[in-house]
């Protein structure tokens, strides 16, 4: 059993914002694993796949970013998924745009969605795949930046980063070790 969660905001007005990189990557992961988002449960939109006979749940919390942990906690409980079987995909202002970084555990950094996940689940011992969004040329408050739309000229860069993050999540779901996935995809 494996749980892949992409953080974001559910309304259409947020679809092309930096804060929805996790949602986009989760969609890419579902596609790679042959799943479709068909149901809503545990305050999330959920897709289900099977990899090597093992069930993989891909989810997009519908709680909005800052309350993402509620959905993650419910999903972990419902599907009896341990932190070691969980990976969270999300945007990260602390990484340069287009970079992907995988870690086996860690802090929330400046990310409120991850703060919620850690607070609700009571652990930070789950894999996370961060998609860098920081643009050194932009100098506006973080909250305004993360809720702004990706610039048209950067769309391909971010689409590729989300796809790379999805490939890393799919590799974890297929049983590759975090260390191996980090070697293949970090950068």
């Amino acid at each position: 059993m494996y749980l892949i969660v992409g953080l974001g905001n559910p309304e259409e007005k947020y679809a092309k914002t930096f804060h929805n990189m996790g949602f986009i990557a989760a969609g890419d992961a579902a596609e790679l694993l042959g799943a479709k988002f068909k149901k809503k449960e545990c305050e999330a939109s959920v897709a289900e796949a099977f990899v090597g006979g093992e069930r993989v749940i891909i989810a997009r919390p519908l709680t909005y970013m800052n309350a993402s942990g509620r959905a993650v906690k419910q999903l972990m409980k419902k599907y009896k998924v341990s932190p070691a079987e969980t990976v969270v995909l999300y945007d990260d202002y602390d990484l340069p745009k287009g970079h992907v970084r995988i870690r086996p555990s860690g802090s929330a950094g400046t990310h409120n969605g991850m703060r919620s996940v850690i607070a609700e689940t009571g652990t930070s011992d789950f894999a996370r795949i961060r998609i860098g969004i920081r643009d050194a040329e932009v100098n506006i408050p973080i909250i305004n930046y993360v809720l702004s739309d990706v610039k048209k000229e950067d769309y391909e860069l971010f689409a590729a980063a989300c796809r790379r993050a999805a490939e890393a999540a799919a590799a974890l779901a297929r049983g590759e070790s975090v260390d191996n996935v980090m070697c293949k995809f970090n950068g």
Side-chain angles (χ1 to χ4, degrees):
M1 183 71 184
Y2 214 83
L3 173 64
I4 298 169
V5 181
L7 303 187
N9 289 307
E11 287 184 66
E12 185 62 33
K13 70 180 181 179
Y14 298 112
K16 296 179 182 176
T17 66
F18 293 103
H19 235 9
N20 263 33
M21 295 293 128
F23 265 30
I24 295 165
D28 289 348
E31 180 184 317
L32 286 168
L33 296 171
K36 294 193 183 308
F37 289 91
K38 292 183 178 178
K39 59 185 173 180
K40 290 188 171 106
E41 61 186 15
C42 302
E43 296 186 82
S45 176
V46 175
E48 185 175 346
F50 287 88
V51 176
E54 291 290 321
R55 187 186 221 182
V56 178
I57 301 297
I58 304 108
R60 294 170 168 158
L62 301 173
T63 54
Y64 291 88
M65 183 63 79
N66 293 353
S68 297
R70 279 196 338 244
V72 175
K73 180 180 180 180
Q74 291 173 49
L75 289 160
M76 288 175 77
K77 183 177 180 181
K78 176 177 179 145
Y79 290 102
K80 297 175 179 58
V81 177
S82 72
E85 300 165 316
T86 303
V87 62
V88 180
L89 303 139
Y90 63 101
D91 63 285
D92 193 333
Y93 186 80
D94 296 327
L95 289 175
K97 67 181 180 179
H99 285 233
V100 173
R101 181 89 32 93
I102 296 101
R103 291 283 179 258
S105 63
S107 73
T110 60
H111 203 280
N112 288 334
M114 283 302 290
R115 282 189 188 121
S116 172
V117 172
I118 291 168
E120 289 284 343
T121 63
T123 185
S124 61
D125 292 332
F126 51 85
R128 69 269 329 272
I129 301 174
R130 301 165 18 204
I131 302 160
I133 63 168
R134 187 183 69 238
D135 187 337
E137 296 175 15
V138 177
N139 189 19
I140 60 174
I142 293 175
I143 187 65
N144 296 345
Y145 182 74
V146 298
L147 293 176
S148 65
D149 285 350
V150 172
K151 292 185 277 186
K152 193 173 186 177
E153 61 268 22
D154 286 337
Y155 181 77
E156 286 185 32
L157 172 71
F158 284 107
C162 287
R163 189 67 174 195
R164 188 172 170 87
E167 289 168 355
L172 290 169
R174 289 184 182 112
E176 287 191 48
S177 72
V178 174
D179 288 340
N180 190 40
V181 173
M182 286 169 57
C183 288
K184 284 171 57 174
F185 293 96
N186 275 352

